[in-house]
């Protein structure tokens, strides 16, 4: 019958497994609920955004979100231009009727003399301007009909002049109706075309973001001009009804412009300046008292503190967009909803599975991906969407949910584990253990792992000579900091520091199927970067690495225990490290470890050795470096032939090959030197009858 202790232990194991399963269910439930909440929030706000933008009908349950969604929509559009630089817009020019020009030309009465307009058109005709668009409404005849006739003649001579019309509110017959104020007939007949100059819709912040193409019977002036100038636009009501968004080329005043007075002065603007340019003529916003046109509007660049833009500049931007097909299009509403749903499910479902700081990092990366995707869509396809919904609504919501869920489900348990292990393990190790299902009870388990042991060559002698504990401490700090970095970067665990030696393990306390390769990679990186020079003396790191079974766990007593790895594998790794001193090598690995590495690392077999504490000989290899970055030494085959001759007892061939190896390495191969000494000893004593080439060491 099972004892009471056995029954209690079995019951405790069952309860521990049950708690583990409960935690898994709670984690899955938190991720599932978070995904649903974040996805639903994104869908709700995006639906309101589409409704606010006129893409869909606003539903009663969304009306509370419409104002918020409108702001996010505008921000999504505006920020794209803040992230983008100014684009080139050659072949255009704005001629401003500004306050300075009005004073210079004596036009301070409000309505400019149309003889000046005729003069300007003839100047532009002589220069070969491509087209002229007047952002002015000539709805009333001049007091002198001859002036209008002359202006019309100038327009007709040019052949590419476009005029503007206005929309006025007519309150007659008890109802408000819009009435078109067209140019007077004499000018209308002379022009290449005419159309509306209005902006619709104007957003709540007085911003112009959409292209207005006119009403049913009268297109906009920019549409009419673009079609006449050869734009690939069907001149139909259906084509005009399509939703188009302005693609601004730069902040206010980035398009070429000059004052009206300068445009008329040959000494200011040389002949030919306007050749092949599209010229838009209109009023510049002014703070003065002259009524020259105060229409100015918000553009995306107002986010950067730039001034509002003139209506003339927006008309020219619209004309260029239509002429070159460079306007923006908002992503189809269904696709936009799918994006926010997918983003919500991904963020809400994934972030709760990570620690808060890592979840914040992933949220930041997700935010960058959303912004990058939005910028890429605009740059490559001129498509935009309300990306601020996933960026500014879903990402913070998912992160807040992840932090809250993680705290209530995991943080208390992790805190207890960190507190327990923080007394005797590094914070890095404590965090890794806290993330796993780790048992704090004393005891260990036998596992397959790779053990690495290091030693700083010549440090003992140097410490004795220095007689300066502070300098010795400085050297050790540099060495341990460097060693620790390479080990932890390769997912290793530092077990302890003894003197100037470091013991590390891969595959414990957390299993790692790639433990052998990671340990050898850490050894190589440590060798490459570990040369320390003190008082002209170079200190090298010697490393021994071995793979095998170890007992890993909390080793010690009930009162005091430490996480450790013990066993023959650890001892042999230590012997390999010490063997470097006799062979003049830097990194030695066992044969069983080399077999696990495959062809990822280049190594050479150094022979078979029987080290202290071992009854049998073991084949040892020197690590030469990663195969892809390490050229195969040309002397390697000769050394292998010499080693094989040594094993057979053919000392003459062995000596010849070792000396050739030494010569080809310019005397730098310590292993060849070692074997030459062994050959000399064997010649003096003779090879034993059972000689198999095993070299025995009686000291560590």
């Amino acid at each position: 019958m099972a004892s009471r202790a056995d029954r209690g232990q079995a019951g405790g194991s069952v309860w521990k497994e049950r708690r583990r399963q409960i935690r898994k269910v709670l984690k899955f439930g938190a991720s599932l609920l978070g995904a649903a909440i974040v996805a639903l929030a994104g869908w709700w706000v995006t639906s309101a955004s589409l409704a606010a933008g006129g893409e869909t009908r606003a539903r009663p349950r969304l009306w509370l979100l419409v104002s918020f969604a409108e702001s996010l929509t505008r921000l999504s559009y505006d920020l794209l231009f803040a992230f983008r630089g100014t684009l080139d817009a050659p072949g255009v020019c704005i001629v401003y009727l500004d306050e300075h020009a009005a004073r210079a030309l004596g036009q301070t009465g409000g309505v400019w003399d149309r003889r000046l307009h005729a003069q300007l058109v003839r100047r532009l005709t002589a220069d070969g301007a491509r087209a002229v668009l007047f952002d002015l409404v000539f709805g009333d005849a001049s007091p002198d009909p001859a002036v209008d006739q002359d202006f019309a003649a100038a327009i007709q001579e040019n052949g590419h002049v476009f005029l503007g019309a206005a929309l006025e509110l007519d309150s007659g017959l008890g109802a408000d109706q819009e009435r078109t104020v067209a140019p007077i007939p004499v000018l209308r007949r002379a022009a290449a075309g005419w159309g509306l100059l209005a902006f619709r819709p104007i957003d709540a912040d007085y911003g112009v973001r959409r292209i207005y193409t006119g009403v049913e019977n009268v297109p906009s002036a920019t549409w009419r001009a673009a079609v006449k100038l050869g734009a690939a636009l069907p001149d139909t009501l259906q084509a005009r009804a399509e939703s188009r968004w302005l693609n601004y080329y730069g902040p206010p005043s980035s398009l070429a412009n000059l004052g009206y007075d300068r445009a008329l002065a040959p000494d200011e603007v040389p002949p030919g300046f306007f050749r092949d340019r599209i010229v838009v003529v209109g009023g510049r916003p002014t703070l003065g008292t002259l009524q020259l046109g105060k229409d100015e509007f918000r553009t995306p660049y107002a986010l950067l503190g730039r001034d509002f833009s003139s209506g003339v500049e927006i008309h020219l931007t619209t004309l260029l967009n239509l002429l070159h097909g460079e306007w923006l299009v908002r992503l189809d509403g269904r696709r936009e909803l799918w994006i926010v749903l997918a983003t919500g499910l991904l963020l809400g479902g994934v972030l709760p599975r990570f620690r808060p700081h890592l979840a914040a990092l992933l949220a930041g990366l997700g935010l960058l991906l959303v912004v990058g995707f939005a910028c890429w869509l605009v740059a490559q396809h001129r498509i935009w969407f309300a990306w601020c919904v996933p960026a500014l609504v879903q990402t913070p919501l998912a992160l807040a949910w992840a932090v809250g869920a993680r705290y209530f489900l995991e943080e208390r348990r992790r805190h207890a584990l960190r507190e327990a292990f923080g007394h005797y393990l590094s914070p890095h190790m404590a965090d890794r253990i806290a993330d796993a299902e780790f048992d704090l009870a004393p005891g260990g388990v036998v596992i397959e792992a790779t053990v690495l042991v290091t030693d700083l060559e010549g440090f003992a002698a140097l410490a004795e000579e220095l007689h300066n504990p502070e300098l010795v401490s400085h050297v050790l700090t540099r060495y341990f900091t460097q060693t620790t970095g390479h080990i932890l970067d390769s997912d290793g665990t530092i077990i302890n520091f003894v003197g100037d030696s470091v013991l590390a393990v891969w595959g414990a306390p957390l299993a790692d199927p790639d433990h052998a390769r990671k340990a050898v990679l850490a050894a190589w990186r440590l060798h490459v970067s570990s040369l320390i020079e003190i008082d002209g003396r170079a200190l090298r790191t010697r490393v021994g690495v071995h793979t095998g079974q170890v007992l890993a766990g909390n080793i010690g007593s009930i009162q005091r225990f430490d996480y450790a790895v013990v066993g023959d594998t650890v001892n042999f790794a230590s012997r390999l490290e010490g063997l470097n001193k006799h062979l003049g090598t830097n990194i030695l690995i066992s044969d069983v470890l080399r077999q696990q590495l495959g062809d990822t690392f280049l190594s050479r077999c150094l022979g078979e050795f029987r080290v202290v504490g071992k009854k049998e000989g073991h084949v040892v290899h020197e690590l030469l470096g990663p195969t892809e970055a390490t050229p195969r030494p040309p002397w390697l085959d000769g050394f292998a032939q010499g080693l094989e001759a040594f094993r057979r007892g053919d000392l003459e061939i062995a000596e010849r090959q070792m000396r050739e190896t030494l010569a080809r390495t310019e005397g730098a191969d310590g292993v060849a030197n070692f074997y030459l000494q062994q050959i000399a000893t064997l010649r003096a004593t003779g090879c034993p009858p059972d000689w198999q080439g095993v070299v025995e060491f009686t000291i560590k």
Side-chain angles (χ1 to χ4, degrees):
M1 294 179 62
S3 66
R4 181 178 300 176
D6 292 337
R7 291 196 301 271
Q9 185 175 1
S13 299
V14 172
W15 175 240
K16 184 184 297 184
E17 179 63 26
R18 184 176 300 172
R19 284 189 301 172
R20 186 178 293 115
Q21 293 299 328
I22 291 174
R23 283 199 296 270
K24 288 183 179 179
V25 171
L26 289 176
K27 287 180 182 179
F28 178 76
S31 297
L32 192 62
L33 184 57
I37 291 174
V38 177
L40 181 61
W43 176 85
W44 200 15
V45 177
T46 301
S47 297
S49 170
L50 293 169
E55 309 294 334
T56 60
R57 270 189 164 180
R59 299 177 182 177
R61 65 174 178 271
L62 297 177
W63 73 271
L64 286 174
L65 279 176
V66 167
S67 178
F68 175 63
E70 282 182 332
S71 299
L72 286 179
T73 303
R74 292 194 296 265
L75 190 62
S76 299
Y77 174 86
D78 292 350
L79 280 175
L80 294 173
F81 295 94
F83 295 145
R84 191 187 72 182
T86 301
L87 303 180
D88 291 333
V92 298
C93 184
I94 298 174
V95 175
Y96 277 121
L97 288 76
D98 55 17
E99 186 171 354
H100 180 274
R103 296 187 186 280
L105 298 174
Q107 303 298 306
T108 57
V111 178
W112 282 47
D113 191 340
R114 291 178 186 172
R115 285 175 292 191
L116 292 174
H117 298 326
Q119 184 180 348
L120 175 63
V121 170
R122 289 191 171 98
R123 167 72 197 274
L124 297 176
T125 303
D127 265 14
R130 183 180 179 186
V132 184
L133 171 63
F134 277 91
D135 184 19
L136 301 169
V137 179
F138 303 110
D140 297 317
S142 299
D144 185 356
V147 173
D148 289 336
Q149 291 290 345
D150 184 55
F151 185 24
I155 292 174
Q156 194 163 15
E157 290 168 9
N158 183 282
H160 296 95
V161 176
F162 300 89
L163 303 179
L167 283 176
E168 288 186 351
L169 195 63
D170 189 352
S171 301
L173 301 177
D176 292 338
Q177 294 183 345
E178 285 185 332
R179 181 175 64 88
T180 301
V181 180
I184 60 176
V186 64
L187 300 181
R188 193 166 63 237
R189 288 190 297 269
W194 64 278
L196 296 175
L197 294 174
F199 293 125
R200 296 255 179 106
I202 297 178
D203 293 327
D205 60 351
Y206 213 64
V208 179
R209 295 175 175 86
R210 299 199 195 197
I211 293 178
Y212 179 61
T213 58
V215 295
E216 181 176 354
N217 298 322
V218 184
S220 67
T222 50
W223 178 274
R224 184 72 79 196
V227 171
K228 289 286 186 178
L229 292 175
L233 295 169
D235 194 12
T236 63
L237 183 61
Q238 183 179 0
R240 286 199 287 117
E242 294 179 11
S243 179
R244 298 175 178 87
W245 297 72
L246 277 166
N247 186 6
Y248 284 94
Y249 297 96
S253 301
S254 60
L255 298 177
N257 63 87
L258 72 163
Y260 202 109
D261 56 325
R262 293 185 60 208
L264 293 176
D267 55 339
E268 289 280 346
V269 180
F273 175 80
F274 296 103
R275 182 172 302 279
D276 296 326
R277 291 181 186 249
I278 296 175
V279 181
V280 180
V281 183
R284 187 199 301 270
T286 176
L287 298 178
T289 57
L290 300 179
Q291 300 301 312
L292 303 174
K294 295 185 178 181
D295 59 327
E296 52 182 342
F297 306 89
R298 183 185 182 91
T299 69
Y301 300 97
L303 286 176
L304 304 178
R306 302 298 182 93
D307 294 334
F308 279 29
S309 178
S310 66
V312 183
E313 197 162 13
I314 296 177
H315 280 306
L316 181 53
T317 299
T318 303
L319 177 55
L320 289 177
N321 280 186
L322 294 174
L323 184 60
H324 301 302
E326 293 176 339
W327 64 82
L328 302 183
V329 176
R330 184 168 181 179
L331 191 65
D332 176 72
R334 290 185 179 180
R335 295 183 180 181
E336 196 164 332
L337 286 172
W338 275 115
I339 288 176
V340 298
L341 285 174
T343 303
L345 293 174
L346 183 63
L347 290 174
V350 171
L351 292 188
R353 305 182 67 86
F354 295 93
R355 297 192 301 271
H357 67 277
L358 187 55
L361 177 61
L362 291 175
L365 291 175
L367 179 61
L368 290 178
L369 286 175
V370 170
V371 174
F373 177 64
C375 293
W376 176 81
L377 270 182
V378 169
Q380 297 297 321
H381 303 285
R382 293 193 288 274
I383 296 175
W384 75 281
F385 68 102
W387 58 270
C388 282
V389 175
L392 302 183
V393 175
Q394 291 181 294
T395 300
L397 181 60
L399 182 58
W401 177 266
V403 172
R406 190 72 179 185
Y407 175 78
F408 287 108
L409 296 178
E410 295 293 329
E411 282 302 305
R412 293 186 179 182
R413 182 187 67 85
R414 293 180 65 254
H415 179 72
L417 284 170
R418 281 199 302 266
E419 285 292 321
F421 279 95
H423 293 295
Y424 56 92
L425 289 180
S426 68
H428 172 79
M429 186 65 191
D431 280 338
R432 291 186 61 195
I433 292 175
D435 286 337
E437 299 294 337
F438 196 83
D439 192 355
L440 286 172
V445 293
V446 177
I447 59 171
E448 183 83 10
T450 299
V451 178
L452 177 146
V453 179
T454 75
D455 186 68
L456 197 55
E457 180 186 32
F459 179 75
L462 178 64
E464 184 178 358
E465 293 176 10
L466 289 177
H467 296 293
N468 187 336
E470 292 185 0
L471 185 55
V472 172
S473 175
H474 174 68
V475 174
L476 279 178
T477 300
R478 285 180 56 192
Y479 172 64
F480 286 145
T481 300
Q482 191 168 256
T483 304
T484 300
H486 288 299
I487 292 173
L488 295 183
D489 288 345
S490 300
D491 298 331
T493 300
I494 297 174
I495 300 300
N496 58 31
F497 302 96
V498 179
D500 59 329
S501 178
V502 179
L503 172 62
V505 65
W506 280 257
L510 302 176
D512 187 348
D514 200 23
H515 57 85
R517 186 193 65 83
K518 289 182 178 179
V520 173
L521 182 61
W524 177 250
R525 289 174 175 172
L526 182 59
H527 161 68
V528 170
S529 63
S530 64
L531 186 62
I532 300 176
E533 187 171 324
I534 302 295
D535 291 343
R537 178 181 298 184
L539 304 179
R540 293 183 307 139
T541 297
R542 298 186 302 233
V543 184
V545 194
H546 178 43
T547 289
Q549 289 190 333
V550 298
L551 178 67
N554 294 317
I555 308 300
S557 65
I558 296 178
Q559 293 83 7
R560 173 66 177 173
F561 56 84
D562 203 350
Y563 188 82
V565 289
V566 296
D568 184 63
T569 299
V570 181
N571 296 334
F572 189 56
S574 178
R575 295 293 182 268
L576 288 176
E577 180 277 313
L579 195 57
N580 282 292
K581 178 170 56 177
H582 302 286
L583 299 180
T585 51
N586 296 307
I587 306 175
L588 294 181
I589 62 176
S590 62
D591 187 59
V592 64
L593 174 58
R594 189 204 65 79
Q595 294 178 25
Q596 294 191 23
L597 295 177
D599 58 356
T600 57
F601 286 87
L602 181 65
S603 63
R604 66 163 168 167
C605 179
L606 302 186
E608 192 172 352
F609 302 89
R610 185 182 300 116
V611 297
V612 176
K614 291 286 187 179
K615 295 181 180 180
E616 302 294 332
H618 292 270
V619 177
V620 175
H621 300 263
E622 179 187 14
L623 185 71
L624 300 179
T627 303
E628 60 182 12
T630 308
R632 193 174 189 277
W635 46 265
L636 210 55
D637 292 336
F639 174 83
Q641 295 171 9
L643 180 61
E644 182 59 30
F646 181 81
R647 287 173 173 171
R648 296 193 311 265
D650 192 342
L651 301 183
E652 183 177 347
I653 295 178
E655 181 179 7
R656 184 169 64 250
Q657 292 294 343
M658 292 302 172
R659 290 194 182 280
E660 182 179 344
T661 300
L662 202 60
R664 298 185 71 177
T665 59
E666 299 181 353
D669 187 29
V671 183
N673 264 322
F674 171 81
Y675 273 108
L676 288 174
Q677 295 173 8
Q678 294 297 311
I679 292 170
T681 301
L682 288 173
R683 279 182 170 164
T685 60
C687 290
D690 58 347
W691 175 253
Q692 295 181 349
V694 179
V695 179
E696 183 172 358
F697 285 91
T698 57
I699 58 174
K700 295 181 180 180

